[in-house]
Amino acid sequence: SEMGWEMSDMADIVITRSTAVDGKERVPDTLVMIMSIHHSMTLTLGLPLVMKYRQLRTLHLLTFNLQWAAALAISANEYCKTLDLKNQKQLWTFRIVNGISFGIMAWMRGIYWLFLCGKLHMRLYEDEEYTMMCVGVVIYTLITGFNVMLCIYPFGKKMLKFGPRSKEMGLVAMDDGEELEDTKKEGGVHPSPSNNSLMEKGDTDN
């Protein structure tokens, strides 16, 4: 179902961009690039891997990591939107949730992701699947960059910006109501790369 959704989502982006009068405004270049990277593994390696390696544990773990990391990020994002960062207790709740989320994302979308990619790559090498190996190198690189910039880095940035020592380090003035309100709207994490949220971001940027 995930594979089918990503294919239909990409088709929707292409059709909207190429046929709608305001296609470029609704689907800006940044959105096209981000979603192309986000869907790249499904659109290239997804079907071949499922057809040949559907019993491979590493493939299931890769899928689990990507899906559950996204679910956790969305959950943390929505919960943090409800917090009032001008309230000290809720600010600490924000810090704890953000810190836990950062650790989970750094592991699932960073360290363990690279480990699983390496294991899958070695299996493809052993089976002499050189075409999938070459495509895989490109896909691993793109998605790793996506994970770092859009999944891990935003949590780390918020940890520094709103951590216990942020005032001492001069990173943020915690009495600045406008700054805190902006962060509350963002939920302390980068929005999930879903079609709707990114589409809204694209509309705002334009």
Side-chain angles (χ1 to χ4, degrees):
S1 59
E2 176 69 14
M3 191 179 300
W5 178 83
E6 292 197 10
M7 289 179 176
S8 65
D9 184 55
M10 201 65 213
D12 181 61
I13 289 173
V14 172
I15 292 172
T16 301
R17 178 64 185 262
S18 58
T19 62
V21 177
D22 58 344
K24 190 169 184 178
E25 287 70 33
R26 292 169 59 187
V27 189
D29 295 339
T30 302
L31 176 62
V32 174
M33 180 184 70
I34 290 174
M35 296 308 291
S36 295
I37 295 173
H38 182 264
H39 296 340
S40 62
M41 192 165 192
T42 297
L43 298 176
T44 55
L45 291 177
L47 191 58
L49 286 174
V50 169
M51 291 180 66
K52 184 163 185 177
Y53 296 103
R54 65 173 61 242
Q55 304 300 328
L56 185 63
R57 183 171 183 269
T58 302
L59 181 59
H60 288 273
L61 286 173
L62 270 172
T63 304
F64 175 85
N65 265 26
L66 292 172
Q67 296 296 323
W68 276 95
L72 290 169
I74 293 171
S75 299
N77 179 55
E78 294 305 311
Y79 175 70
C80 286
K81 286 179 181 178
T82 68
L83 299 176
D84 180 4
L85 301 188
K86 289 176 284 187
N87 180 292
Q88 191 66 21
K89 184 177 179 180
Q90 293 191 38
L91 175 61
W92 270 102
T93 301
F94 170 85
R95 289 168 174 166
I96 292 170
V97 171
N98 191 73
I100 293 173
S101 299
F102 173 78
I104 291 173
M105 295 298 281
W107 174 254
M108 296 183 75
R109 289 268 183 150
I111 299 169
Y112 200 44
W113 156 260
L114 292 173
F115 172 74
L116 291 173
C117 286
K119 285 190 68 175
L120 178 60
H121 205 65
M122 290 303 299
R123 178 59 183 270
L124 295 176
Y125 175 77
E126 291 171 359
D127 293 347
E128 299 183 353
E129 293 288 350
Y130 299 123
T131 300
M132 282 198 281
M133 274 182 60
C134 294
V135 174
V137 170
V138 177
I139 300 303
Y140 305 153
T141 302
L142 289 174
I143 296 184
T144 298
F146 178 94
N147 288 343
V148 171
M149 296 306 298
L150 297 181
C151 301
I152 301 172
Y153 170 73
F155 284 105
K157 182 179 178 181
K158 295 299 180 184
M159 285 179 65
L160 290 175
K161 192 172 184 180
F162 294 97
R165 299 186 60 191
S166 57
K167 291 175 71 175
E168 298 174 24
M169 298 169 65
L171 294 175
V172 63
M174 297 310 298
D175 295 329
D176 188 342
E178 183 178 352
E179 184 82 24
L180 295 174
E181 185 63 27
D182 290 342
T183 303
K184 180 182 176 184
K185 291 177 181 178
E186 293 174 10
V189 298
H190 195 283
S192 170
S194 65
N195 187 36
N196 290 338
S197 62
L198 285 172
M199 192 75 76
E200 291 169 2
K201 183 178 185 300
D203 291 340
T204 303
D205 293 341
N206 285 274

